[in-house]
Amino acid sequence: MRIDVLTLFPEVFEPYVASSIVGRAVAQGIVSIRCTSFRDFASDRHRSVDDRPFGGGPGMVLMCGPVFDALEHVEAQSETKPLRILLTPQGEKLTQSVVAELAKAPRLVLLCGHYEGFDERIRTGIAAREISIGDYVLSGGEPAAMVLIDAVVRLLPGALGDEASAADESFTAGTLEYPQFTRPREFRGMEVPEVLLSGDHGKIAAWRREQSLERTLERRPDLLEARQYMALD
Ligand code: 6GU
């Protein structure tokens, strides 16, 4: 997969895309991530990317020119037609099923909104899918783009060391994760549940399933409503 990020702050992505699972996926060639600055497509000598709103009012508005030019520039670098995504608090909420859908695309272009907003003709003119990561306000789309990249990249084949782990986890399975423990067996008086030390794989699986369901019922009952249950549950 190729991901292009169009942003006013390309430098904030660099350490992120070099680290952890995403960094390893980049190193393995599973995904390539390129960041492009709108500022490189400014047309005046001050390299302006925003201006005052027509009609007055506070703040500055991201201009059409640098955004359309940056988008056309990166899209021309490859034959593959990308899925365009505009990160904005007004978008559709990012869920695991949206993430799974995006992970099937060969190419994504993420446009990060910033400042007080962007010219409405960006929204109407580029026909992007608009995505928000939740009901709170960020000062820019960059953290949201990083969230989206992380969630998508870990679903790409080979991105996780152990192929089982992506499917095994919460949300994909529709329930929250069961508690995990590692050495030591006792830490400051807190013990590891006996069943995990039993070596009985059937019992361990049943215990984990029970913990996972119990936790989901307690913390996120909304996740259970839409689910199908096995007789075991
Ligand atoms: Cl994508 N952008 C901004 N600015 N705020 C947000 C968001 C995006 N998602 C949630 N809040």
Side-chain angles (χ1 to χ4, degrees):
M1 174 184 275
R2 169 166 172 168
I3 303 177
D4 281 281
V5 185
L6 308 189
T7 167
L8 284 168
F9 303 98
E11 68 281 1
V12 307
F13 288 89
E14 277 155 26
Y16 188 74
V17 304
S19 313
S20 189
I21 304 275
V22 174
R24 203 179 58 197
V26 169
Q28 290 179 333
I30 292 166
V31 62
S32 77
I33 302 176
R34 298 267 316 262
C35 298
T36 300
S37 175
F38 293 131
R39 208 168 286 285
D40 293 342
F41 296 86
S43 54
D44 63 346
R45 66 188 177 84
H46 302 291
R47 305 227 295 154
S48 309
V49 291
D50 57 355
D51 207 341
R52 289 167 300 158
F54 278 125
M60 299 288 276
V61 176
L62 190 57
M63 298 189 298
C64 288
V67 174
F68 279 77
D69 288 350
L71 180 64
E72 283 157 13
H73 176 83
V74 302
E75 287 192 351
Q77 289 171 359
S78 154
E79 301 271 275
T80 314
K81 193 171 158 354
L83 207 57
R84 296 172 172 174
I85 298 169
L86 188 59
L87 282 314
T88 142
Q90 285 118 42
E92 149 197 27
K93 202 176 292 177
L94 187 68
T95 60
Q96 190 65 30
S97 65
V98 173
V99 170
E101 220 183 292
L102 302 182
K104 291 184 201 140
R107 184 167 185 216
L108 304 176
V109 175
L110 311 181
L111 295 109
C112 302
H114 225 270
Y115 297 148
E116 278 71 20
F118 41 81
D119 192 303
E120 184 65 15
R121 292 166 294 182
I122 295 171
R123 189 194 312 280
T124 54
I126 68 175
R129 185 161 178 175
E130 294 181 42
I131 291 181
S132 157
I133 60 164
D135 294 336
Y136 37 82
V137 181
L138 304 170
S139 39
E142 286 77 11
M146 285 192 250
V147 166
L148 188 153
I149 290 170
D150 188 295
V152 165
V153 168
R154 60 194 300 294
L155 293 187
L156 301 178
L160 300 179
D162 174 4
E163 279 303 308
S165 38
D168 204 42
E169 277 171 54
S170 44
F171 291 108
T172 304
T175 56
L176 302 181
E177 270 187 90
Y178 52 78
Q180 300 259 38
F181 299 87
T182 187
R183 293 190 306 161
R185 285 166 78 136
E186 195 221 295
F187 180 74
R188 299 188 181 173
M190 298 177 282
E191 304 215 8
V192 173
E194 204 54 48
V195 60
L196 298 179
L197 311 172
S198 68
D200 182 334
H201 298 297
K203 253 189 173 159
I204 292 170
W207 181 85
R208 286 178 166 166
R209 186 76 196 131
E210 183 187 304
Q211 290 287 315
S212 167
L213 285 167
E214 234 173 70
R215 222 172 227 206
T216 311
L217 195 60
E218 211 175 274
R219 301 183 189 192
R220 294 293 308 277
D222 57 300
L223 294 179
L224 292 177
E225 274 147 32
R227 254 186 67 75
Q228 306 281 312
Y229 297 97
M230 294 180 285
L232 184 64
D233 296 336

